[in-house]
Amino acid sequence: PFPAALDDCVAAYRGLLDKGIAAKSIIIAGDSAGGNLTLTTALKLKELGLEQPAALICLSPATDMEGFESRRSNIRGDAMFTAEMFPTLVPLYCPGADPENPLISPWRGDVSGLPPTLIQCSAIEMLRDDSIYMADKMKHAGVEVTLEIWPKVFHVWQVMADILPEGRKAIDKIVTFAKERLGQ
């Protein structure tokens, strides 16, 4: 439960810095709940005054515990989630905590100063609007953000890159984004 995973992410990041790895050589990435942790880790690093990583990569991140319209409108198209699932998350992930806390719902945070970010999501998944609203907020805060909305794929389709052409193409775009941010 919150804040254990976030604390672990910050500890891992500090561990890399303590080993002499420069922040500009680090990219934080995650999918779904891991995309949430990617964003909340960057917000926590900002809060702690630590240097931001070179970039963030979020695959279908959950960005607000209350959710957006696509959690209702994309119920039929989403092969991963059900509407009944989402209300169970807050009591499990952040019991007793305010789900509007930006370290739980990063869309509610001050995202100015976050590093360049790539967000990929499916057009038909329930978390689609989490990506759209987060990217919009980042853009308006002056963050360099790339949002890719892919048609006809499922939540975190990138994991099927070995057999799904769209997965391979998405991974290729991630690699290109990462190399550009790392100066390679």
Side-chain angles (χ1 to χ4, degrees):
F2 175 82
L6 178 58
D7 291 343
D8 287 347
C9 290
V10 172
Y13 187 80
R14 283 183 181 214
L16 293 172
L17 296 177
D18 290 347
K19 289 184 181 285
I21 299 172
K24 66 181 180 182
S25 297
I26 300 171
I27 292 177
I28 301 175
D31 65 80
S32 198
N36 173 286
L37 282 171
T38 296
L39 294 162
T40 58
T41 298
L43 290 172
K44 186 66 176 182
L45 297 176
K46 179 179 169 179
E47 181 182 293
L48 295 170
L50 293 171
E51 187 177 354
Q52 290 289 323
L56 306 175
I57 299 171
C58 301
L59 311 181
S60 303
T63 64
D64 187 69
M65 288 298 147
E66 290 192 18
F68 302 102
E69 176 56 31
S70 63
R71 291 199 191 171
R72 291 173 291 284
S73 63
N74 281 354
I75 288 173
R76 288 194 179 111
D78 196 309
M80 176 72 78
F81 299 119
T82 65
E84 298 78 25
M85 180 182 164
F86 287 104
T88 67
L89 297 177
V90 170
L92 293 172
Y93 179 60
C94 52
D98 180 0
E100 293 185 12
N101 177 341
L103 298 179
I104 296 170
S105 293
W107 178 76
R108 297 178 182 270
D110 174 8
V111 298
S112 62
L114 294 190
T117 302
L118 171 63
I119 301 174
Q120 293 180 339
C121 69
S122 165
I124 60 172
E125 69 174 304
M126 292 173 71
L127 290 179
R128 179 200 64 212
D129 289 351
D130 285 63
S131 294
I132 292 171
Y133 281 89
M134 192 72 200
D136 187 61
K137 183 167 188 167
M138 295 175 93
K139 178 182 176 184
H140 283 93
V143 175
E144 178 190 335
V145 61
T146 302
L147 172 64
E148 297 178 358
I149 303 171
W150 291 64
K152 301 177 186 177
V153 292
F154 48 87
H155 178 74
V156 190
W157 73 97
Q158 300 89 338
V159 300
M160 302 293 285
D162 288 345
I163 60 172
L164 188 68
E166 294 88 347
R168 180 76 261 148
K169 289 176 187 171
I171 295 293
D172 289 344
K173 287 178 173 262
I174 292 166
V175 169
T176 298
F177 175 85
K179 284 182 174 183
E180 288 172 357
R181 295 323 170 277
L182 296 174
Q184 297 180 0

